[in-house]
């Protein structure tokens, strides 16, 4: 770092002076520059030694490993494969799911109920006094499935009477709710409600939800008297 | 060519057909970069000190949470992000602008034209970073790691970056000489890679958010590549320049350089996804990230061999030169941190190290022990040439080196060992699948290791202060001593202030 000897090939001093004048250097800074430059070594260059052959062998082995590892852990390049042990399943060998069976409806309905309904109606199905009516042993839940379906599809506002108590709440419409993307999701949650906490009523199926949805079309929420005129308690 | 474009080309072309000797060219080039480089370096050193203060606060809070807990401004979540952003956008980018542009101009034999724009852009860049970090502390940060600054400073950052980086590219466009040196590839690549990373991540995460898991993928692609395709190439460019320059011998092999550059460009880009191993993203993408990380062994080994075969036999020169002592420390750290990183990406290891302090240690290994140390060395080389003065105190350089080397060593051991234990305890389950340790126990057990980090932080602070004092002295014309007539070295022929 402390070279002070003259570098070969440096231009004659008068040349340098002319060029540095161009760079607007004064005499003092000219000396500074000289002192600096004389200590510097050549700008770096590169030698041309060949790559050691053993390195190339190592890199080939690495590349080979990379190919094998990539293929073995790629989840067959499916976008929906999230784990290395993912296997593609032949669709023809799968048993189709029966969406009308209680085995499908109940667990699905329980999950949807706990995620979307239990905030108001409670996981016990008991609701809260004055606002959210209970679903346990209730004639609103029992009987004609269309009443329950109609309430879930379009919502219900205003005062109603359940099991002798007054409730004044606001049941939102779930007919276009993002958590219930298909009618079988609505069917599942209603079937769960009709069979949980000691309730034991007929399941509600997807086809029933779909046909009532078509029949009712677009409409606002029900109020407490209107719903009972159309679907009286039995 | 129209008259307009001819005029434009003339305005950009850094020379007017003069035939100077190489040494005179260097003098002209150094003068062209002098002012802007000083602006960037002074900003960088100030940000380094600010970032160090934030780091110390965050480190202490991590084991003593009641420290300064009464002020929302200095809560852990904000101070940690302020530290990260001060170090990345304040310290690293400023020092890269200074060192990267200067190296590019020197290697292209083309002075930087229109330095006035560089001043303006540099001032705007630092204003934007200041506002951004104030925004973080004031609670306006985004929730996205590495781009926490409030979005309203992004346009200014982008614009100033463009006005700074373009001069590196213009220098390259009007370069002289047939041969393009390896440092030039790295700098040119990085000057294009960084804006691409920044623009894409800001767009896809903040301004026109992509859906769902595309966001974390973009986030980690960006965050890892800021290290991989911005700091790493700039650090390597400096090492590739300074090692042969100071030793006065050529880099061992052009072929190794070229293999190293292209394999880095090819593989690093994939590696960022390894931050999401086990996460809800398609498994083939995770595997691609792992393969990319492991294949990084190629550029790392190639660079290590190339540097080692250049340095071999010159160890006393390395030890004597402040520049090379830092640069070789950084280059060796690069090899080590990259090999550890490749190992960490493997699923079996990642299961343990993910979500632990091991990762934090690894990040500092890369950004500090590799990148920052090389940049310290580059500043020790560059500043005397820019302002024609010598470093006033070799003792301060020695304090700087040893505090940083020991400090970062203590931090790395503490966080790696502590993080590994943390990972093992988090994963430990009995035969019935019940966790052996509660979460709180695991956290308690990390405290001694976090305290060792705070201790290392104190050492690093001392080192940075020594550096900052020396830096201020050289700017304020404190002289090394009447007998000083050559560069400040650390041993033997030392003629500087080191007695």
């Amino acid at each position: 770092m402390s070279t002070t000897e003259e570098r070969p090939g440096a231009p004659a001093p008068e040349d340098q002076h002319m060029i540095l004048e161009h760079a607007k250097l004064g005499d003092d800074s000219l000396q500074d520059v000289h002192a600096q430059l004389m200590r510097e070594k050549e700008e770096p260059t590169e030698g041309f030694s060949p790559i050691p052959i053993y390195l190339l062998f190592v890199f080939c082995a690495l590349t080979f490993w990379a190919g094998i590892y990539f293929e073995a852990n790629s989840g067959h390049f499916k976008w929906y494969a999230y784990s290395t042990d993912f296997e593609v399943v032949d669709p023809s060998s799968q048993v189709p799911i029966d969406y009308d069976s209680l085995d499908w409806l109940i667990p699905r309905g329980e999950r949807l109920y706990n995620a979307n309904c239990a905030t108001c109606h409670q996981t016990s199905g008991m609701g809260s006094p004055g606002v959210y009516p209970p679903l346990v042993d209730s004639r609103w839940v029992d009987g004609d499935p269309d009443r329950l379906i109609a309430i879930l599809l379009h919502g219900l506002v205003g005062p109603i009477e359940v099991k002798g108590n007054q409730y004044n709440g606001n049941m939102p419409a779930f007919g276009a709710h993002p958590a219930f993307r298909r009618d079988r999701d609505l069917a599942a949650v209603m079937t769960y409600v009709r069979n949980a906490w000691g309730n034991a009523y007929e399941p509600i199926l997807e086809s029933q939800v779909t046909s009532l949805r078509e029949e009712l079309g677009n409409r606002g929420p029900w109020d407490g008297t209107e719903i009972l005129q159309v679907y009286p308690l039995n | 060519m129209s008259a307009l474009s001819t005029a434009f080309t003339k305005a950009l072309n850094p020379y007017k057909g003069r035939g100077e000797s190489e040494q005179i060219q260097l003098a002209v080039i150094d003068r062209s970069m002098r002012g802007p480089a000083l602006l960037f370096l002074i900003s960088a050193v100030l940000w380094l000190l600010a970032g160090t203060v934030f780091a110390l606060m965050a480190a202490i809070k991590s084991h003593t949470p009641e420290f300064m807990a009464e002020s929302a401004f200095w809560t852990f979540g904000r101070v940690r992000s302020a530290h990260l952003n001060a170090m990345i956008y304040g310290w690293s980018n400023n020092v890269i602008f200074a060192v990267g542009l200067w190296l590019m101009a020197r290697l292209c034999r083309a002075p930087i034209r229109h330095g006035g724009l560089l001043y303006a852009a540099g001032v705007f860049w630092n204003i934007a970073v200041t506002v951004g970090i104030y925004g973080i502390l004031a609670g306006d940060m985004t929730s996205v790691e590495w781009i926490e600054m409030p979005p309203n400073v992004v346009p200014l950052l982008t614009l100033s970056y463009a006005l700074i980086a373009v001069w590196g590219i213009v220098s390259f466009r009007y370069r002289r000489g047939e041969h393009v040196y390896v440092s030039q590839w790295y700098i040119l690549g990085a000057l294009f890679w960084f804006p691409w990373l920044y623009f894409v991540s800001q767009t896809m995460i903040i301004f026109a958010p992509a859906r769902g898991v595309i966001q974390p993928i973009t986030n980690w692609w960006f965050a890892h590549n800021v290290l991989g395709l911005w700091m790493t190439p700039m650090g390597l460019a400096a090492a590739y320049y300074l090692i042969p320059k100071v030793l006065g011998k050529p880099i061992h092999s052009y072929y190794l350089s070229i293999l190293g550059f292209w394999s880095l460009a090819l593989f690093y880009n994939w590696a960022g996804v390894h931050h999401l191993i086990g996460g809800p993203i398609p498994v083939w993408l995770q595997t691609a990230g792992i393969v990319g990380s492991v294949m990084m062994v190629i550029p790392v080994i190639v660079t290590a061999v190339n540097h080692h075969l250049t340095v071999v036999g010159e160890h006393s020169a390395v030890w004597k030169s402040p520049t090379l002592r830092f640069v070789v420390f950084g280059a060796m750290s690069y090899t080590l941190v990259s090999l550890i990183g490749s190992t960490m990406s493997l699923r079996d290891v990642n299961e343990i190290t993910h979500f632990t302090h091991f990762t934090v240690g690894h990040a500092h290994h890369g950004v500090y022990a590799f990148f920052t140390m090389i940049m310290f060395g580059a500043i020790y080389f560059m500043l005397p040439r820019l302002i024609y003065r010598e470093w006033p105190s070799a003792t301060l350089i020695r304090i700087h080196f040893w505090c940083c080397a020991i400090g970062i060593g203590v931090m790395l051991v503490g966080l790696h060992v502590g993080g590994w234990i943390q990972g093992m305890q988090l994963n430990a389950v009995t035969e019935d699948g019940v966790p052996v340790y509660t979460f709180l126990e695991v956290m308690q057990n990390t405290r001694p290791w976090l305290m060792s980090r705070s201790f290392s932080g104190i050492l690093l602070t001392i080192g940075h202060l020594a550096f900052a004092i020396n830096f201020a002295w050289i700017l304020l014309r404190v002289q090394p001593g009447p007998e000083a007539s050559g560069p400040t070295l650390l041993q033997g022929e030392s003629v500087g202030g080191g007695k």
Side-chain angles (χ1 to χ4, degrees):
Chain A
M1 208 162 148
S2 59
T3 314
T4 49
E5 70 263 49
E6 196 76 35
R7 282 188 51 256
E14 57 273 24
D15 275 0
Q16 291 192 358
H17 186 68
M18 184 188 73
I19 294 154
L20 285 172
E21 265 187 347
H22 188 81
K24 299 190 187 73
L25 295 187
D27 283 349
D28 285 348
S29 40
L30 196 70
Q31 279 184 348
D32 279 347
V33 173
H34 273 257
Q36 285 285 332
L37 291 176
M38 286 310 118
R39 90 190 216 192
E40 270 201 38
K41 296 183 177 162
E42 298 261 359
E43 282 292 273
T45 52
E46 285 160 310
F48 288 89
S49 316
I51 299 176
I53 192 80
Y54 67 89
L55 273 186
L56 290 180
F57 281 125
V58 172
F59 297 159
C60 288
L62 256 178
T63 313
F64 184 73
W65 169 87
I68 302 284
Y69 182 82
F70 198 17
E71 208 288 323
N73 294 286
S74 60
H76 302 271
F77 294 96
K78 301 285 186 225
W79 66 265
Y80 47 84
Y82 295 100
S83 154
T84 47
D85 50 21
F86 173 86
E87 284 302 328
V88 178
V89 179
D90 178 9
S92 63
S93 72
Q94 279 183 305
V95 184
I97 299 171
D98 179 7
Y99 294 114
D100 289 342
S101 74
L102 287 179
D103 287 345
W104 188 84
L105 288 167
I106 298 281
R108 174 103 179 155
E110 180 172 10
R111 216 171 69 212
L112 288 168
Y113 178 88
N114 288 331
N116 300 284
C117 318
T119 330
C120 302
H121 292 288
Q122 308 301 314
T123 41
S124 61
M126 296 305 292
S128 339
V131 198
Y132 308 122
L135 307 173
V136 183
D137 192 24
S138 158
R139 289 171 64 212
W140 289 74
V141 174
D142 184 10
D144 183 3
D146 283 355
R147 180 176 53 251
L148 195 58
I149 298 172
I151 295 174
L152 253 81
L153 280 175
H154 297 293
L156 175 65
V157 294
I160 57 170
E161 189 191 315
V162 180
K163 295 170 80 175
N165 298 317
Q166 286 292 324
Y167 293 89
N168 193 355
N170 183 1
M171 165 84 179
F174 286 93
H177 192 278
F180 300 85
R181 289 196 301 154
R182 297 191 177 82
D183 284 347
R184 59 174 175 262
D185 295 325
L186 288 166
V189 81
M190 287 185 275
T191 303
Y192 170 73
V193 165
R194 280 159 71 95
N195 288 278
W197 319 298
N199 288 352
Y201 314 128
E202 285 285 294
I204 293 179
L205 305 182
E206 182 175 20
S207 53
Q208 292 169 284
V209 180
T210 309
S211 62
L212 194 66
R213 181 195 286 278
E214 279 163 17
E215 191 183 320
L216 293 173
N218 273 334
R219 56 158 295 149
W222 305 91
D223 69 37
T225 41
E226 185 192 7
I227 186 91
L228 291 186
Q229 282 161 8
V230 184
Y231 305 105
L233 296 176
N234 39 342
Chain B
M1 204 186 275
S2 75
L4 184 65
S5 67
T6 313
F8 186 61
T9 315
K10 271 187 180 164
L12 290 181
N13 194 334
Y15 22 67
K16 298 159 183 169
R18 304 188 304 262
E20 302 114 338
S21 77
E22 187 184 76
Q23 289 181 326
I24 305 299
Q25 286 169 25
L26 288 184
V28 174
I29 289 161
D30 287 355
R31 284 185 78 82
S32 76
M33 262 308 278
R34 181 179 180 173
L38 279 180
L39 170 69
F40 289 128
L41 285 182
I42 293 169
S43 319
V45 172
L46 291 177
W47 279 120
L48 177 72
L49 295 179
T52 310
V53 173
F54 293 143
L56 259 186
M57 289 168 66
I60 295 172
K61 278 161 174 290
S62 66
H63 54 75
T64 311
E66 60 272 16
F67 173 70
M68 294 184 76
E70 63 283 352
S71 160
F73 223 74
W74 306 113
T75 41
F76 177 80
R78 297 185 189 178
V79 175
R80 180 205 172 274
S81 294
H83 158 62
L84 193 153
N85 283 270
M87 288 311 196
I88 301 305
Y89 298 98
W91 154 249
S92 301
N93 276 25
N94 273 307
V95 75
I96 282 175
F97 293 148
V99 174
L101 286 187
W102 178 70
L103 284 183
M104 190 61 148
R106 270 197 155 202
L107 287 166
C108 293
R109 317 276 191 273
I112 297 286
R113 287 288 298 272
H114 304 287
L117 272 176
L118 270 180
Y119 284 115
V123 168
F124 279 126
W125 175 272
N126 283 295
I127 289 175
V129 176
T130 311
V131 173
I133 287 175
Y134 179 81
I136 290 174
L137 289 173
D140 288 332
M141 61 190 258
T142 71
S143 59
V144 187
E145 221 174 335
W146 286 68
I147 49 177
E148 288 103 332
M149 289 193 197
N152 50 16
V153 303
V154 171
L156 187 55
L157 279 178
T158 314
L159 184 71
S160 2
Y161 174 82
L163 286 178
I164 294 165
V166 71
W167 299 110
I169 295 158
V170 166
S171 277
F172 187 78
R173 163 67 183 78
Y174 293 106
R175 70 191 179 279
R176 283 196 269 190
E178 290 288 302
H179 187 71
V180 177
Y181 185 64
V182 50
S183 297
Q184 287 167 281
W185 315 336
Y186 279 112
I187 297 172
L188 187 70
L191 287 177
F192 283 105
W193 287 328
F194 180 73
W196 173 244
L197 291 164
Y198 194 68
F199 178 78
V200 168
S201 65
Q202 288 287 352
T203 309
M204 289 182 63
I205 301 175
I206 306 289
F207 291 102
R211 283 176 60 177
V213 295
I214 304 297
Q215 283 188 33
I217 295 171
T218 314
N219 184 197
W220 285 111
W221 169 80
F222 168 76
H224 204 89
N225 282 340
V226 171
L227 178 64
L229 293 179
W230 174 237
M231 296 182 181
T232 299
M234 291 297 188
L236 291 182
Y240 264 118
Y241 180 83
L242 293 170
I243 292 175
K245 176 79 180 178
V246 177
L247 294 179
K249 61 194 272 194
I251 273 288
H252 178 68
S253 166
Y254 170 77
Y255 305 111
L256 283 173
S257 308
I258 208 165
L259 178 62
F261 174 79
W262 285 110
S263 51
L264 179 125
L266 179 63
F267 294 126
Y268 225 141
N269 189 38
W270 288 92
V273 200
H274 65 216
H275 285 266
L276 298 166
I277 292 171
I281 63 166
V283 72
W284 72 265
L285 201 51
Q286 303 175 25
T287 305
I290 294 170
V291 168
S293 309
V294 173
M295 294 302 273
M296 275 303 294
V297 167
I298 295 179
V300 168
I301 295 287
V302 161
T303 309
V305 169
N306 215 1
H307 287 168
H308 177 74
L309 291 179
T310 308
V311 170
V312 75
E314 304 274 356
H315 292 111
S316 70
V318 168
W319 201 238
K320 212 157 66 184
S321 150
T323 302
L324 277 197
R325 203 187 267 198
F326 279 92
V327 168
V328 169
F329 184 99
M332 286 163 67
S333 303
Y334 174 63
T335 311
L336 191 60
V337 67
S338 305
L339 294 180
I340 294 178
S342 298
T343 315
M344 282 169 74
S345 74
L346 295 170
R347 283 190 168 84
D348 291 330
V349 182
N350 195 270
E351 229 166 53
I352 297 165
T353 61
H354 212 143
F355 301 126
T356 70
H357 294 295
F358 198 98
T359 311
V360 182
H362 182 67
H364 286 87
H365 202 175
V367 176
Y368 197 95
F370 157 49
F371 171 79
T372 297
M373 290 299 261
I374 285 189
M375 286 301 151
F376 284 146
I379 295 175
Y380 279 124
F381 183 83
M382 175 181 179
L383 204 51
R385 281 153 182 83
L386 286 180
I387 60 178
Y388 308 133
R389 286 172 224 160
E390 297 303 334
W391 289 97
S393 167
T395 309
L396 283 177
I397 302 180
R398 249 182 245 120
I399 294 175
H400 179 203
F401 178 78
W402 285 112
C403 283
C404 289
I406 297 174
I408 193 67
V410 170
M411 179 195 288
L412 294 182
V413 170
L415 290 182
H416 280 81
V417 176
W420 188 267
I421 295 173
Q422 184 192 11
M424 296 297 272
Q425 293 186 344
L426 281 171
N427 287 356
V429 286
T430 62
E431 279 176 18
D432 309 325
V434 183
V436 177
Y437 304 91
T438 65
F439 187 73
L440 209 60
E441 281 172 336
V442 179
M443 225 171 73
Q444 288 283 353
N445 293 341
T446 62
R447 280 193 76 194
W449 304 103
L450 294 177
M451 285 177 176
S452 80
R453 172 170 70 180
S454 294
F455 171 69
S456 77
I458 292 168
L459 281 180
L460 293 177
T461 310
I462 296 172
H464 293 166
L465 283 176
F467 172 59
I469 291 170
N470 221 358
F471 185 82
W473 279 0
I474 194 176
L475 292 184
L476 297 173
R477 295 175 182 279
V478 174
Q479 293 300 321
E483 75 278 32
S485 61
T488 307
L489 301 174
L490 295 178
Q491 266 183 7
E493 297 171 35
S494 172
V495 284
K499 307 237 168 54

